[in-house]
Amino acid sequence: MGNSEPVWGIIGGTGLTAIDSLMVDDTLETETVWGAPSAPLRIGRLGGRKVVFLARHGDPHRIPPHRVNYRANIEALRRAGVDRIIAVNAVGSIHPAMTPSSLVLPDQIIDYTWGRAPSFHEENLEHAVHVDFTWPYSESIRDALRAAAAEVGVACHDGGVYACTQGPRLETAAEIRRLEQDGADIVGMTAMPEAVLAREAELDYACLALVVNWAAGRTSEVITMDDIRSNLDAGIGRVLQVLEACLRAD
């Protein structure tokens, strides 16, 4: 769109359907060739930078992970002029050091989803399209988030493997043991195909993950929504601190 100023996109996950400190200038309801995005785009400024915010699960939160229209979401952000995206994802922890309410900057993904539209390049093609996905997350955005976390004194685990499962149910203890054997550190339901669609759209993309529970079988307790909400409440303020510091520094 010819913007001289970089435009950041923020995709809010569970617990982040709005950013109170975002100074909203416009709210855009839009359609794409893939359908409507999860929610209207909120366009404004955060940390002194132009930001387009999108609630991944809708506002109010109503769309389960396997029914999110990831293609429409990424396309709507691209058409709004976004050239870099920070995705906020709520995850469970497999790694003992990644405790509930802590933040993680994953650097890898293993995709266990099925039946989701995985690409923009599926029909009416002149040739098959393949994108390199060796490193699924933008290192420059990860660097910026890491520096922002250090600036505001928020501990953030640097690196980790995000296992993306289908949902909407949580995993069994046996499934978590399998994911651990595969090398996964955290588990969630929304990393894919969002990350690869951003790559296809040539948008820089990285994930800021908030741990909201121990994964199944990591403790003797059952996972409850009350515990997840409690960890969301405990950690979401730190997520916002890091986001604002990252954008101020850009």
PDB file of all heavy atoms in Angstrom, residues 222-237:
ATOM      1  N   VAL A 222      -6.134 -32.209  37.448  1.00  0.00           N
ATOM      2  CA  VAL A 222      -6.809 -32.019  36.162  1.00  0.00           C
ATOM      3  C   VAL A 222      -6.683 -30.551  35.762  1.00  0.00           C
ATOM      4  O   VAL A 222      -6.466 -29.670  36.595  1.00  0.00           O
ATOM      5  CB  VAL A 222      -8.297 -32.425  36.245  1.00  0.00           C
ATOM      6  CG1 VAL A 222      -8.435 -33.898  36.579  1.00  0.00           C
ATOM      7  CG2 VAL A 222      -9.044 -31.560  37.247  1.00  0.00           C
ATOM      8  N   ILE A 223      -6.787 -30.291  34.462  1.00  0.00           N
ATOM      9  CA  ILE A 223      -6.695 -28.925  33.952  1.00  0.00           C
ATOM     10  C   ILE A 223      -8.085 -28.306  34.001  1.00  0.00           C
ATOM     11  O   ILE A 223      -9.038 -28.868  33.465  1.00  0.00           O
ATOM     12  CB  ILE A 223      -6.164 -28.923  32.506  1.00  0.00           C
ATOM     13  CG1 ILE A 223      -4.778 -29.578  32.453  1.00  0.00           C
ATOM     14  CG2 ILE A 223      -6.109 -27.499  31.948  1.00  0.00           C
ATOM     15  CD1 ILE A 223      -4.295 -29.862  31.035  1.00  0.00           C
ATOM     16  N   THR A 224      -8.190 -27.158  34.659  1.00  0.00           N
ATOM     17  CA  THR A 224      -9.486 -26.491  34.772  1.00  0.00           C
ATOM     18  C   THR A 224      -9.434 -25.127  34.094  1.00  0.00           C
ATOM     19  O   THR A 224      -8.376 -24.486  34.019  1.00  0.00           O
ATOM     20  CB  THR A 224      -9.894 -26.297  36.238  1.00  0.00           C
ATOM     21  OG1 THR A 224      -9.034 -25.319  36.852  1.00  0.00           O
ATOM     22  CG2 THR A 224      -9.814 -27.609  37.017  1.00  0.00           C
ATOM     23  N   MET A 225     -10.578 -24.673  33.612  1.00  0.00           N
ATOM     24  CA  MET A 225     -10.636 -23.348  33.002  1.00  0.00           C
ATOM     25  C   MET A 225     -10.378 -22.254  34.028  1.00  0.00           C
ATOM     26  O   MET A 225      -9.849 -21.194  33.696  1.00  0.00           O
ATOM     27  CB  MET A 225     -11.992 -23.137  32.332  1.00  0.00           C
ATOM     28  CG  MET A 225     -12.199 -23.981  31.083  1.00  0.00           C
ATOM     29  SD  MET A 225     -10.832 -23.854  29.882  1.00  0.00           S
ATOM     30  CE  MET A 225     -10.875 -22.101  29.490  1.00  0.00           C
ATOM     31  N   ASP A 226     -10.709 -22.511  35.295  1.00  0.00           N
ATOM     32  CA  ASP A 226     -10.424 -21.526  36.345  1.00  0.00           C
ATOM     33  C   ASP A 226      -8.918 -21.305  36.476  1.00  0.00           C
ATOM     34  O   ASP A 226      -8.448 -20.169  36.607  1.00  0.00           O
ATOM     35  CB  ASP A 226     -11.008 -21.982  37.682  1.00  0.00           C
ATOM     36  CG  ASP A 226     -12.510 -21.800  37.756  1.00  0.00           C
ATOM     37  OD1 ASP A 226     -13.066 -21.054  36.917  1.00  0.00           O
ATOM     38  OD2 ASP A 226     -13.138 -22.407  38.642  1.00  0.00           O
ATOM     39  N   ASP A 227      -8.156 -22.404  36.434  1.00  0.00           N
ATOM     40  CA  ASP A 227      -6.700 -22.277  36.521  1.00  0.00           C
ATOM     41  C   ASP A 227      -6.138 -21.553  35.291  1.00  0.00           C
ATOM     42  O   ASP A 227      -5.243 -20.720  35.406  1.00  0.00           O
ATOM     43  CB  ASP A 227      -6.053 -23.665  36.643  1.00  0.00           C
ATOM     44  CG  ASP A 227      -6.286 -24.306  38.001  1.00  0.00           C
ATOM     45  OD1 ASP A 227      -6.578 -23.564  38.959  1.00  0.00           O
ATOM     46  OD2 ASP A 227      -6.179 -25.544  38.091  1.00  0.00           O
ATOM     47  N   ILE A 228      -6.670 -21.884  34.121  1.00  0.00           N
ATOM     48  CA  ILE A 228      -6.214 -21.226  32.896  1.00  0.00           C
ATOM     49  C   ILE A 228      -6.498 -19.727  32.954  1.00  0.00           C
ATOM     50  O   ILE A 228      -5.636 -18.904  32.646  1.00  0.00           O
ATOM     51  CB  ILE A 228      -6.876 -21.875  31.662  1.00  0.00           C
ATOM     52  CG1 ILE A 228      -6.285 -23.273  31.432  1.00  0.00           C
ATOM     53  CG2 ILE A 228      -6.691 -21.001  30.423  1.00  0.00           C
ATOM     54  CD1 ILE A 228      -6.956 -24.063  30.332  1.00  0.00           C
ATOM     55  N   ARG A 229      -7.713 -19.369  33.391  1.00  0.00           N
ATOM     56  CA  ARG A 229      -8.053 -17.947  33.500  1.00  0.00           C
ATOM     57  C   ARG A 229      -7.169 -17.243  34.510  1.00  0.00           C
ATOM     58  O   ARG A 229      -6.755 -16.094  34.299  1.00  0.00           O
ATOM     59  CB  ARG A 229      -9.524 -17.790  33.867  1.00  0.00           C
ATOM     60  CG  ARG A 229     -10.476 -17.927  32.675  1.00  0.00           C
ATOM     61  CD  ARG A 229     -11.878 -17.527  33.045  1.00  0.00           C
ATOM     62  NE  ARG A 229     -12.504 -18.509  33.923  1.00  0.00           N
ATOM     63  CZ  ARG A 229     -13.233 -19.536  33.489  1.00  0.00           C
ATOM     64  NH1 ARG A 229     -13.425 -19.713  32.192  1.00  0.00           N
ATOM     65  NH2 ARG A 229     -13.769 -20.388  34.349  1.00  0.00           N
ATOM     66  N   SER A 230      -6.853 -17.911  35.613  1.00  0.00           N
ATOM     67  CA  SER A 230      -5.987 -17.312  36.626  1.00  0.00           C
ATOM     68  C   SER A 230      -4.596 -17.030  36.064  1.00  0.00           C
ATOM     69  O   SER A 230      -4.020 -15.955  36.300  1.00  0.00           O
ATOM     70  CB  SER A 230      -5.888 -18.246  37.835  1.00  0.00           C
ATOM     71  OG  SER A 230      -4.988 -17.741  38.792  1.00  0.00           O
ATOM     72  N   ASN A 231      -4.042 -17.967  35.299  1.00  0.00           N
ATOM     73  CA  ASN A 231      -2.719 -17.762  34.712  1.00  0.00           C
ATOM     74  C   ASN A 231      -2.748 -16.735  33.591  1.00  0.00           C
ATOM     75  O   ASN A 231      -1.774 -16.004  33.389  1.00  0.00           O
ATOM     76  CB  ASN A 231      -2.163 -19.098  34.215  1.00  0.00           C
ATOM     77  CG  ASN A 231      -1.782 -20.016  35.364  1.00  0.00           C
ATOM     78  OD1 ASN A 231      -1.197 -19.583  36.345  1.00  0.00           O
ATOM     79  ND2 ASN A 231      -2.132 -21.290  35.245  1.00  0.00           N
ATOM     80  N   LEU A 232      -3.865 -16.675  32.861  1.00  0.00           N
ATOM     81  CA  LEU A 232      -4.030 -15.607  31.873  1.00  0.00           C
ATOM     82  C   LEU A 232      -3.996 -14.241  32.550  1.00  0.00           C
ATOM     83  O   LEU A 232      -3.292 -13.334  32.109  1.00  0.00           O
ATOM     84  CB  LEU A 232      -5.353 -15.774  31.123  1.00  0.00           C
ATOM     85  CG  LEU A 232      -5.376 -16.701  29.920  1.00  0.00           C
ATOM     86  CD1 LEU A 232      -6.818 -16.952  29.481  1.00  0.00           C
ATOM     87  CD2 LEU A 232      -4.576 -16.112  28.763  1.00  0.00           C
ATOM     88  N   ASP A 233      -4.758 -14.122  33.626  1.00  0.00           N
ATOM     89  CA  ASP A 233      -4.797 -12.844  34.341  1.00  0.00           C
ATOM     90  C   ASP A 233      -3.426 -12.470  34.880  1.00  0.00           C
ATOM     91  O   ASP A 233      -3.048 -11.294  34.880  1.00  0.00           O
ATOM     92  CB  ASP A 233      -5.810 -12.920  35.488  1.00  0.00           C
ATOM     93  CG  ASP A 233      -7.254 -12.999  35.008  1.00  0.00           C
ATOM     94  OD1 ASP A 233      -7.504 -12.682  33.827  1.00  0.00           O
ATOM     95  OD2 ASP A 233      -8.127 -13.404  35.815  1.00  0.00           O
ATOM     96  N   ALA A 234      -2.677 -13.487  35.347  1.00  0.00           N
ATOM     97  CA  ALA A 234      -1.357 -13.224  35.931  1.00  0.00           C
ATOM     98  C   ALA A 234      -0.330 -12.829  34.880  1.00  0.00           C
ATOM     99  O   ALA A 234       0.618 -12.088  35.176  1.00  0.00           O
ATOM    100  CB  ALA A 234      -0.872 -14.456  36.697  1.00  0.00           C
ATOM    101  N   GLY A 235      -0.502 -13.304  33.647  1.00  0.00           N
ATOM    102  CA  GLY A 235       0.524 -13.091  32.638  1.00  0.00           C
ATOM    103  C   GLY A 235       0.226 -12.082  31.563  1.00  0.00           C
ATOM    104  O   GLY A 235       1.156 -11.559  30.924  1.00  0.00           O
ATOM    105  N   ILE A 236      -1.042 -11.756  31.345  1.00  0.00           N
ATOM    106  CA  ILE A 236      -1.374 -10.919  30.192  1.00  0.00           C
ATOM    107  C   ILE A 236      -0.820  -9.495  30.331  1.00  0.00           C
ATOM    108  O   ILE A 236      -0.469  -8.852  29.336  1.00  0.00           O
ATOM    109  CB  ILE A 236      -2.905 -10.895  29.946  1.00  0.00           C
ATOM    110  CG1 ILE A 236      -3.206 -10.557  28.480  1.00  0.00           C
ATOM    111  CG2 ILE A 236      -3.600  -9.950  30.893  1.00  0.00           C
ATOM    112  CD1 ILE A 236      -2.798 -11.619  27.508  1.00  0.00           C
ATOM    113  N   GLY A 237      -0.703  -9.010  31.560  1.00  0.00           N
ATOM    114  CA  GLY A 237      -0.109  -7.684  31.770  1.00  0.00           C
ATOM    115  C   GLY A 237       1.337  -7.642  31.304  1.00  0.00           C
ATOM    116  O   GLY A 237       1.781  -6.657  30.710  1.00  0.00           O
TER     117      GLY A 237
END
